[in-house]
Every structure is written in C-alpha cells, then in structure tokens.
Amino acid sequence: MSQAAEQVVAPWWRGAVVYQIYPRSFADSDGNGIGDLAGIRQRLDHIQRLGVDAIWLSPAYRSPMVDAGYDVSDHCDIDPLFGTLADMDRLIAETHARGMRILLDYVPNHTSDQHPWFIESRSSRDNPKRDWYIWRDRPNNWVAAFGAGSAWTLDERTGQYYLHLFLPEQPDLNWRHPEVIGAMYGVLNFWLDRGVDGFRIDAVHCIGKDPTFNDDPHCAVGQPLMLHNDQPYSHEVCRGLRKFADAHPSHCVLVGEIFVRSTEAVLRYYGEQDGLHMAFNFSHLDTPWDEVDARDRIREVEGLLGPKGAWPTWVLSNHDFPRHRTSFGGSMRRARAAAVMLLTLRGTIFLYQGEELGLEDAQVGPDEQVDPGGRDGPRAPIPWESIPPHGWSGEKPWLPFPPHPSTHAAETQWQDEHSILHLYRRLLAARKASTALRYGDWEELSSPLEVLAYRRRCGEDERVVCVNFSGRPQQFPLAGRWLIEVVSEGEGEGASYDGNLDAEQALVLKRAGRESGAESRG
Ligand code: NOJ
C-alpha cells in the first residue's frame, strides 16, 4: 500500500462491505425449521472468513410475522422465534469481538396492527394515541403494496379508516406527531445503548405523506403509492435522524431504503450533507446482464452522486427481489463476473446472504408459499453442510432449499478453492488491501462496447477492472505491464495480462512494476 493511500481517513462505512442476514433463513440452532440469533452466532466464522466489514440484520423484533418481521409489535424486544434480548446482546458482542460492525433494521414508517400503540390508537377516537397513526373519515385513491388493494382499511368500531402503505396489518405511523418522533428516537437510543453501529432504515421515503391527501395519479392506474411517495416531510425526518446520529456518541451510520426508482430522487435523501449517510439505489437492482444497462447505471450514479459528495451504495440482491444469478438466467459464469464488478465499484457494497454461494432462488410450490408479496424464492434457507439436511436438523425448514443445495453448500465450497465462495473471499481481500478499490476515484476507460472497463485510483494505488459481458472472447489491450490480481473464472491470477478476456469473464488488474497511468488502446 502506498504512503498516500495509507493516509486515507474515512468513516468505517465508506467503501465497506456489509453482509445482509435474513434471520429466518440464515441458520437454525433449535431445530424448529426457522433461523434464529443463536444460529447466526454459530455461523459467524463463515462471515468473518469471507472478510466483510459489517453485518445488517433484517428484523428480529417481536412480530406477528405477517410481513416476516417487518410488522413490528415491539421494537425493543426480540421475537421468541429468534431468541431473546440476551441472545441479541451476545450476537452484538461476538460480532464486535470478531472485528465486524452490526447494523439493525429500523422500521419507522409503520408498526404491526398488534403493536400496543396501534391497539390503543384504534380503541377510540379520543384515545391519546389516536393521532399516532393516520385516521380519515373517507379513503382517497391511495393503493397499498403487495396487491393489497386500497391503502385504507375501515375500523368498524370507530368508523374511520387508517392508512397503511403496505399490508392492512401494517398501519402507518404519523411522524408529524411529536410523541411518535420521541418514541421512535427512543427505539434508536435503546439499540445504540446495546452497542449497535447503525441502522438500515426501512421504507424511509414513505414517512412523509402528502398533507392534502389528494388522489395520486400513479394510484389511479393501480400502482402502489409506496413506489412513488417522496414528500418533503420525509426529507425533514431524515435530517432530524442525521442530527440525532451525529450528536450521539456512537456516531452511528444511517442507510435509507428508498424504493423510488430514480437516482435523482435517491440523491435528495443525502441532503446537503445533512441527510442520511447513505441511501440504497434500487433503480439498479433489477438490471439485466447487459453491457449497456450496466454502463448506464454506473455512469448515472457516478455522474449524479459523485459531484455532490454523496457516497454510493451498490447491491445486486436482497430479500425482496429475485437473486441476481436467477435474473441472469441462472448463469454461474455471469454471477461470478458480476461479483468482480460489484466488489470493485466505488461505494459501500451490500451483499445478500447466499450470493457468495452463487445461490439461485428456490422453486417454491403453491402449497409452500408464505410471503403475501411473492418474495419467497430469494428467502430460501442457506445450505451449510454438503449432506442433507444441510445444517438444518430438526423440523423441515420453513421454505425449500435453493437448487443443488449439496453443490452450493458452504462446506462444499470452502473445500474448493475454485468455488464462487473463494472468489468472493479473494475479492474482499483485494478490496481491503487496496485503498484504490476501497476509496479511490472511479473513471471509465474507453473500451469495446462488450467490455466495461474502469480504473480505480487513490494516490499511487491503482487498479483496472474489465468485465466482458459478451458470450465471446474479447480483446482489451492496456498500455504498460499489468498483472491479473483476481479472475472471475478460470486460471491466471498472478500472471501477466495479455489483453485477452474470455467470454463473460471479469478481471481485476494491478500494475506490474512502477509505471503509472493506465491508457486503453482498445
Ligand atoms: C421493505 C422491506 O425490505 C420489505 O421486506 C418489507 O416488506 C417492506 N419494506 C415493508 O416493511
């Protein structure tokens, strides 16, 4: 590492790699077929060996589980399905002891309809908590997510409708009520006192509602409001949360889930350095394997976020979308090349459990479906051991395994240095060892259409990454001498780069010797 590179001072999350754990499907310690916190603890070795900087836990709070935990009935307790508060404390301590950070999912837009706050709120029109939620005499045309129909449900006893941008069992909180703000800040304090390092903030763009409650044109054509809701008040709430985070001794990090499919809209959640530290950008999550789409999405993020100093995030898979290998037609070769691209982009990288194993979505039969939003495929249990039941002894797991669980099991892949798991490990190690990859500038190089090529540079530290999207070999010669540091598929790491890329192959290149400046002759 060069001297200039060593001098980079940045908060821990810049350039970090965060591993998303979906607790229901990660690892089961008690044999009831559903993953739990003790199970996560037992598998921390895997995550640490992979080399990530932090984990993010999808909700494990008390919940009736209508939306798999995103319907929270107590933000400050753990659902017995997952364990106890003491289990969470141990998980936080053990994650830290292994040199990793831990982020929790914070769900501020709505609660469960079984949350004591909502039970009180719906009990009568003059209950002191009535206005903690959003009640109206008449519904407007707003549409809920997951095909749930109107975003308003009538409470027959009190004769008013309550708002829910998601399921009827997930009433929206009224963030204009000071007591709601106080209570929800209390939740943050509760977890920060227990040592967590930050939060992924669920559906944060949904918090502010149009105060006129006018009909929405998108809803008029049947689209859920959640996909478009982007009100100034959501930004005000984000600025408040950021102020809170900056003043808190933990200096926790906040990353917002912004479901609005526009990078410009996402950029506004960063504020003028007074909004969230980071925001997910989903307009890129379901991009197909295509050289033009990939270029466009990266150029757009670099072009819009870069000049504003807004730190990008990159994610290819999560618990709400088909896994990217599945979207890429099931191709392992593409999944491996995509990993090279993902882990060499400028920004903070979010991995979804199991992508390091090259998993595809599970085939979930009609009798096995659980999620009202049809998102069971990517939520399948992680196969740990090569031999059935793949580390899930006891009751049958709550969803079927992804295809070929023995081949993809973590145990099988740790024993095979050519596996996609070892590729992820090598990429993470390369990223950690290079300030260019972790913090450096991103600059696109001129290249044949089929090859996406970019340079990352920080001081004298420099890498070139080239990704061949086509099903044919391509040439991409570079001036100077370059060594292959990581190859997505095939042999060659440590060898000199000769300007040739195999079909759907991606390479990380490192300068050999002391020459500087990478110029494409392609
Ligand atoms: C986004 C979460 O990722 C998703 O799983 C959930 O259903 C909605 N927010 C509602 O909380």
Side-chain angles (χ1 to χ4, degrees), residues 263-264 267 270 281 283-284 294-314 341-342 344-349 431 436-445 452-457:
T263 303
E264 273 129 340
L267 172 61
Y270 288 83
N281 188 351
S283 50
H284 308 307
R295 264 194 186 81
D296 284 353
R297 69 189 175 182
I298 300 169
R299 284 177 185 165
E300 185 182 84
V301 167
E302 284 293 338
L304 289 171
L305 270 61
K308 296 278 185 189
W311 186 253
T313 62
W314 298 100
M341 183 180 73
L342 177 68
T344 55
L345 287 171
R346 191 181 73 89
T348 294
I349 312 300
R431 190 176 169 92
L437 288 178
R438 190 159 174 140
Y439 307 110
D441 298 339
W442 181 91
E443 179 199 351
E444 189 174 350
L445 300 178
L452 168 68
Y454 46 90
R455 174 180 14 220
R456 303 289 318 277
R457 184 151 57 189

Side-chain angles (χ1 to χ4, degrees), residues 246-291:
D246 286 349
H248 197 278
S250 65
H251 293 295
C252 59
V253 62
L254 304 176
V255 48
E257 187 212 21
I258 319 292
F259 223 94
V260 181
R261 300 305 191 91
S262 144
T263 303
E264 273 129 340
V266 166
L267 172 61
R268 292 198 291 274
Y269 283 85
Y270 288 83
E272 297 293 331
Q273 313 286 333
D274 62 348
L276 302 176
H277 299 97
M278 291 184 280
F280 282 120
N281 188 351
F282 291 141
S283 50
H284 308 307
L285 194 67
D286 41 16
T287 310
W289 178 254
D290 180 84
E291 61 270 15

Side-chain angles (χ1 to χ4, degrees), residues 67 70 110 146 166 170 200 202 257 319-320 375 379:
D67 186 15
Y70 282 94
H110 45 269
F146 313 136
F166 295 91
Q170 293 168 295
R200 174 265 190 192
D202 187 71
E257 187 212 21
H319 63 293
D320 290 329
R375 299 163 294 178
R379 298 179 178 183

Side-chain angles (χ1 to χ4, degrees), residues 378-521:
R379 298 179 178 183
I382 299 296
W384 291 105
E385 291 163 14
S386 314
I387 294 169
H390 307 300
W392 289 74
S393 48
E395 282 178 40
K396 208 169 137 200
W398 70 292
L399 284 175
F401 283 105
H404 314 299
S406 297
T407 316
H408 290 301
E411 180 188 36
T412 317
Q413 297 204 46
W414 279 123
Q415 287 162 10
D416 171 12
E417 63 176 25
H418 300 293
S419 65
I420 187 169
L421 175 59
H422 276 284
L423 170 66
Y424 268 79
R425 183 192 54 73
R426 292 198 305 278
L427 284 164
L428 277 151
R431 190 176 169 92
K432 213 163 241 175
S434 159
T435 43
L437 288 178
R438 190 159 174 140
Y439 307 110
D441 298 339
W442 181 91
E443 179 199 351
E444 189 174 350
L445 300 178
S446 119
S447 61
L449 179 66
E450 295 82 355
V451 178
L452 168 68
Y454 46 90
R455 174 180 14 220
R456 303 289 318 277
R457 184 151 57 189
C458 181
E460 288 174 13
D461 193 34
E462 184 182 10
R463 296 289 183 281
V464 165
V465 178
C466 26
V467 187
N468 177 9
F469 280 84
S470 78
R472 287 183 305 281
Q474 297 288 334
Q475 291 201 321
F476 178 62
L478 280 172
R481 280 190 56 231
W482 294 83
L483 296 178
I484 300 175
E485 187 175 17
V486 184
V487 53
S488 61
E489 182 105 61
E491 303 296 321
E493 285 178 9
S496 280
Y497 174 59
D498 63 5
N500 288 302
L501 288 158
D502 284 348
E504 294 178 339
Q505 187 186 51
L507 304 175
V508 182
L509 305 173
K510 187 178 178 175
R511 246 181 209 290
R514 297 177 52 81
E515 301 157 74
S516 65
E519 280 156 37
S520 161
R521 286 190 268 113

